[in-house]
Amino acid sequence: MRLLNDTKFVVTGLLLLILLFSFLLYSNLNFRANDSTEPTIGVITFKNKTVLRKYNDAVVWDLIESKTEVKNRDTIRTEGLSDAILTLNDGTKINISENSMILLDISDKNININFAYGSFEAAREGVVSGDMKMNITAGDKTVEVSSGDIKLDKTKSELNIKVDQGEAKLTSNGKEEKIGKDQVANVTDSGVKVGKQLFRLVTPEDRKNVFSESGQERINFSLAGWNNDTSKRSNPILEVSLFPDFSKSLIREKLSSATVSKKLDVGSYYWRVSYTDPSSQTKAVTEVYQFRILSDPSLKLLSPRNGEVISFSHEIPVIRFVWNLLDLYSSYTVQIARDNGFTDIVTLKQTQNQSLAFDNLKEGTYFAKIKAKSSLQGIDEKTSSVVSFQILKKTNTTPPELLEPNKGKVIAEELTKSQLFFSWKDDKDFDSYQWELSSDSNFNSILQSEKLKNNFFKLSNGLRIGTYFWRVKGKSNGGQSFDSKPYQFTVIAKEEMELISPNQGAEVEVDDRNLVILKWKKLTGKSNYEIEVSKQSDFATTIVKENVVGNYYEFKSKEYGRFYWRVKSLEGESNVSVTRNFQMVSNVEPPNLLSPTRNETIDLFTKNYISFSWKPVEKVSAYRLKLIDVSGIKEKIILNERISTNKFQMNEIQKLNVGRFRWEVSSLYKVSDGSEKESVSNKQDFFISVPELKVPKILTPGTLYVE
């Protein structure tokens, strides 16, 4: 017991317990189930980008690669722009789309899939399964498939099932429905609807990848089953969205033909057609197709440059080839030849990196190109344009060539304390270099001098504000010295990141392109910035977070309203601007309000309606009228109507109390893509009152008696 009163023993014991439990927690979190205890049920035969697997009873997700075995009761999850193909032992192929998750269990000799969310396809056509069936559970719904091809899409509000081959049986709320070939089942809270689609989606195909060099592509949407008479009566509407549940539609347009073309930026999209079923007069939708527009810029050889002459004196130089890295490609091959047709190839090398070095190229003229190869299906090999370069032996010694800081560069004083590097081209002709810094161009007042073996020098003591000159002397084997040309640079006080436009709190009117130019002051010597745009002042979530070269950004938004933005320099010490906000509004004018006038008092004792009127606006399709009760602490919307004329009479005065009200009217107008936008609104307040009722005064004198 005395040990418990001794502080050093207690503290030591507690520390040991903390270490023990920390180790146990770490071991538990990083525990991998012994996959030998669970049988192998299939193999990941293809995967793109981020695909994760979680073992049964484990808590940690692992990255999974192609050719990886999948064990029973494994959970497979894909992230954005990722997908995978799982081939089961019986030949069943399961194609899992992006942002999807399934759990597989073959414990009872059937293929049981717990479908959490997303989209996947199962192909069982031609599989010799005997009595083995596939049971797919999605919440309280179950789909049974013996053989055939089936596709499922699951969102928060609905489940869509399409059978391409064979037959499936759906069980929902105790009721069974059969889904035959080419039939679609739509399961919502209101019930199950099974039937053949009036329209069939053709292009873009499901899971289609469209490659774009420019970052924007024109997509042709086409349907099969179009019949002019029937199609017009069914009112088909094309819907394109960034979300699988179509909670927000990017495009929603009525179709007048079986084909329509739209321009779209790089991204992942979902599309379908909604229509009115002519036989039942109920709303119906086709299956959902997904397609992606992937950025696929051209492959460019950055170094050596076309026509570049690489000189050397004694030793053969090392030639480094550098090219732009492409997201969709996994390996690169450098080909070097003596002729433009690449019939006389000198050498070729393959790498997964962005550069390769060659030290065996002798004096002469060469031609080079890069070939990029992708591991993804459907992506062809990409080849860069051919560049020509020359390796030439020098006949005389040339002075060192200065690189950084370049001539006339301006540097902030604070940056000189930690990041001021001097560099020049290395030359085998020189055994050493003499670096010099001066306050004058003639180098009469040398501030600092260093003898170096390398072709760079880091200044560690910082510089004050002012103008400086630097040069390098190359020392040859024979003791000769060759002076470089001097370079001038200037040190200035620290620059602040400053936003230029829009001004703080400004209302920016935009046309149907919904484009706002965000500009900021370009910092001296810096060209790379990060811009953030958010609907929230704390930037908890961002609409835009991009790296930008230059001092402006073209911001586009499908919504109006208030936005917050800031800019950060990515070079040198982090320099962040203050946060500004602006309001994006339409350039379409809101109507001028006529009646009720501002602060007018309306007496409802003698009237049983209120008339609203405003001046008409040209080229508008309708108006939006809102009536808001602002008498209390919290505003209450009484009326929100879409009106085609410039006047409205409100007869439901029982909804109104005595007090203060605000009425607002905005213009509704069509934009180029056929959708409807709303302008800002004009607002006015008015008051509602009733006359004060007085207690009646009895004039007849005396008392009346009634027998």
Side-chain angles (χ1 to χ4, degrees), residues 258-526:
T259 305
V260 66
S261 178
K262 295 291 178 185
K263 268 192 174 182
L264 293 171
D265 296 328
V266 169
S268 181
Y269 298 91
Y270 300 86
W271 77 286
R272 69 182 183 186
V273 172
S274 60
Y275 59 93
T276 302
D277 192 328
S279 58
S280 62
Q281 291 300 308
T282 58
K283 181 184 175 182
V285 293
T286 64
E287 62 181 314
V288 177
Y289 273 10
Q290 179 195 2
F291 67 94
R292 293 184 292 212
I293 302 177
L294 302 174
S295 178
D296 188 25
S298 57
L299 181 62
K300 296 178 181 178
L301 188 56
L302 305 176
S303 178
R305 300 182 302 273
N306 190 34
E308 183 175 354
V309 177
I310 302 166
S311 302
F312 72 98
S313 297
H314 305 290
E315 298 179 8
I316 297 294
V318 176
I319 312 298
R320 182 169 294 277
F321 290 77
V322 182
W323 53 90
N324 58 317
L325 202 61
L326 303 178
D327 290 338
L328 302 177
Y329 297 82
S330 54
S331 66
Y332 304 88
T333 301
V334 179
Q335 293 186 358
I336 304 173
R338 292 193 178 277
D339 65 307
N340 195 27
F342 285 80
T343 56
D344 183 9
I345 294 180
V346 177
T347 184
L348 58 86
K349 280 186 183 180
Q350 190 175 30
T351 181
Q352 294 182 339
N353 300 319
Q354 193 182 354
S355 64
L356 260 179
F358 295 82
D359 59 0
N360 58 346
L361 297 178
K362 298 179 181 179
E363 187 176 8
T365 300
Y366 297 92
F367 298 86
K369 63 182 178 182
I370 311 293
K371 286 190 174 182
K373 190 174 182 180
S374 177
S375 60
L376 304 180
Q377 294 178 345
I379 301 182
D380 297 331
E381 191 176 66
K382 185 182 286 286
T383 306
S384 71
S385 57
V386 177
V387 300
S388 172
F389 64 96
Q390 187 178 6
I391 300 176
L392 184 64
K393 187 172 183 178
K394 292 190 295 185
T395 56
N396 57 352
T397 303
T398 57
E401 183 181 344
L402 306 186
L403 298 175
E404 186 63 31
N406 52 33
K407 194 171 185 179
K409 185 167 185 176
V410 180
I411 306 168
E413 180 184 12
E414 192 168 340
L415 296 181
T416 67
K417 298 174 183 178
S418 60
Q419 299 186 26
L420 187 52
F421 280 87
F422 295 83
S423 64
W424 52 95
K425 280 190 176 180
D426 196 10
D427 197 322
K428 301 298 182 182
D429 288 346
F430 302 121
D431 285 343
S432 63
Y433 301 96
Q434 188 76 28
W435 171 85
E436 294 179 343
L437 180 69
S438 174
S439 58
D440 65 276
S441 58
N442 297 321
F443 286 79
N444 294 322
S445 300
I446 295 179
L447 303 175
Q448 192 171 342
S449 178
E450 298 287 340
K451 187 174 181 180
L452 306 162
K453 285 287 186 182
N454 300 317
N455 64 322
F456 61 87
F457 174 68
K458 179 183 177 182
L459 188 67
S460 57
N461 53 356
L463 294 174
R464 295 181 179 179
I465 296 172
T467 300
Y468 298 88
F469 300 85
W470 74 288
R471 69 182 179 186
V472 173
K473 295 182 177 182
K475 305 288 185 178
S476 67
N477 295 331
Q480 290 179 298
S481 178
F482 296 85
D483 294 358
S484 71
K485 293 180 180 180
Y487 272 10
Q488 171 193 334
F489 65 93
T490 305
V491 177
I492 62 172
K494 180 181 177 182
E495 291 181 288
E496 296 295 334
M497 194 75 236
E498 182 181 341
L499 305 182
I500 297 176
S501 66
N503 293 327
Q504 169 65 12
E507 284 193 355
V508 183
E509 290 188 351
V510 294
D511 55 22
D512 59 359
R513 296 178 301 164
N514 284 22
L515 175 67
V516 177
I517 305 296
L518 306 178
K519 294 188 69 176
W520 55 91
K521 178 184 176 183
K522 187 179 186 301
L523 298 181
T524 305
K526 298 182 180 181

Side-chain angles (χ1 to χ4, degrees), residues 5 46 57 76 106 176 236 318 327 435 507 529 555 623 657 674:
N5 296 322
F46 170 79
D57 298 328
I76 308 296
I106 313 184
E176 291 187 357
V318 176
D327 290 338
W435 171 85
E507 284 193 355
Y529 304 89
F555 172 63
Y623 303 94
N657 298 315

Side-chain angles (χ1 to χ4, degrees), residues 190-221:
S190 58
V192 179
K193 183 179 178 182
V194 180
K196 282 198 172 184
Q197 300 175 105
L198 183 62
F199 302 102
R200 183 169 58 84
L201 308 185
V202 179
T203 59
E205 300 92 344
D206 193 23
R207 305 177 194 275
K208 172 77 172 178
N209 289 327
V210 180
F211 304 103
S212 173
E213 283 194 6
S214 63
Q216 189 180 71
E217 289 296 312
R218 182 169 289 280
I219 304 297
N220 292 319
F221 297 90

Side-chain angles (χ1 to χ4, degrees), residues 636-694:
K636 180 181 178 184
I637 297 178
I638 306 298
L639 183 71
N640 187 350
E641 291 285 341
R642 185 183 190 277
I643 301 164
S644 57
T645 63
N646 64 319
K647 58 181 65 177
F648 179 78
Q649 181 172 295
M650 182 180 180
N651 298 316
E652 298 175 292
I653 60 172
Q654 68 273 12
K655 293 182 178 181
L656 306 176
N657 298 315
V658 174
R660 184 173 183 171
F661 291 81
R662 183 174 71 242
W663 68 296
E664 305 176 355
V665 183
S666 57
S667 299
L668 302 177
Y669 59 98
K670 292 289 181 72
V671 292
S672 56
D673 64 358
S675 61
E676 195 171 57
K677 297 288 186 180
E678 184 173 343
S679 74
V680 294
S681 58
N682 270 333
K683 309 171 184 179
Q684 282 187 175
D685 287 4
F686 66 93
F687 297 89
I688 293 177
S689 68
V690 295
E692 184 179 353
L693 298 178
K694 297 181 180 180

Side-chain angles (χ1 to χ4, degrees), residues 39-227:
T40 299
I41 62 171
V43 176
I44 295 291
T45 51
F46 170 79
K47 80 103 184 176
N48 174 31
K49 293 199 173 180
T50 307
V51 181
L52 303 168
R53 179 259 298 279
K54 184 169 73 68
Y55 292 112
N56 184 33
D57 298 328
V59 295
V60 177
W61 290 90
D62 295 324
L63 286 169
I64 193 169
E65 300 297 334
S66 294
K67 310 291 176 63
T68 303
E69 291 184 347
V70 176
K71 305 296 181 178
N72 196 36
R73 296 194 59 78
D74 278 359
T75 301
I76 308 296
R77 175 165 66 90
T78 58
E79 295 191 350
L81 298 178
S82 305
D83 46 40
I85 297 177
L86 167 63
T87 303
L88 300 182
N89 292 341
D90 71 339
T92 299
K93 289 187 179 295
I94 300 175
N95 196 333
I96 311 168
S97 295
E98 64 175 333
N99 296 316
S100 303
M101 186 168 78
I102 63 172
L103 182 148
L104 299 121
D105 182 10
I106 313 184
S107 302
D108 60 354
K109 297 185 179 180
N110 286 327
I111 302 173
N112 301 306
I113 299 177
N114 192 329
F115 181 28
Y117 58 83
S119 175
F120 81 95
E121 295 179 38
R124 307 203 76 220
E125 184 67 22
V127 173
V128 180
S129 57
D131 295 330
M132 180 176 280
K133 297 178 181 179
M134 176 182 287
N135 299 315
I136 304 167
T137 303
D140 59 350
K141 289 94 177 170
T142 303
V143 182
E144 182 183 299
V145 185
S146 295
S147 65
D149 297 348
I150 188 170
K151 177 184 176 183
L152 292 91
D153 295 292
K154 184 175 184 290
T155 64
K156 291 180 181 179
S157 58
E158 63 183 66
L159 173 68
N160 292 306
I161 306 160
K162 182 175 185 289
V163 176
D164 289 325
Q165 297 290 337
E167 186 179 82
K169 183 171 69 176
L170 168 67
T171 304
S172 177
N173 295 326
K175 297 181 180 179
E176 291 187 357
E177 293 276 358
K178 286 189 177 181
I179 312 170
K181 181 182 177 182
D182 294 331
Q183 284 191 321
V184 174
N186 179 249
V187 187
T188 62
D189 293 336
S190 58
V192 179
K193 183 179 178 182
V194 180
K196 282 198 172 184
Q197 300 175 105
L198 183 62
F199 302 102
R200 183 169 58 84
L201 308 185
V202 179
T203 59
E205 300 92 344
D206 193 23
R207 305 177 194 275
K208 172 77 172 178
N209 289 327
V210 180
F211 304 103
S212 173
E213 283 194 6
S214 63
Q216 189 180 71
E217 289 296 312
R218 182 169 289 280
I219 304 297
N220 292 319
F221 297 90
S222 63
L223 308 173
W226 186 274
N227 176 284

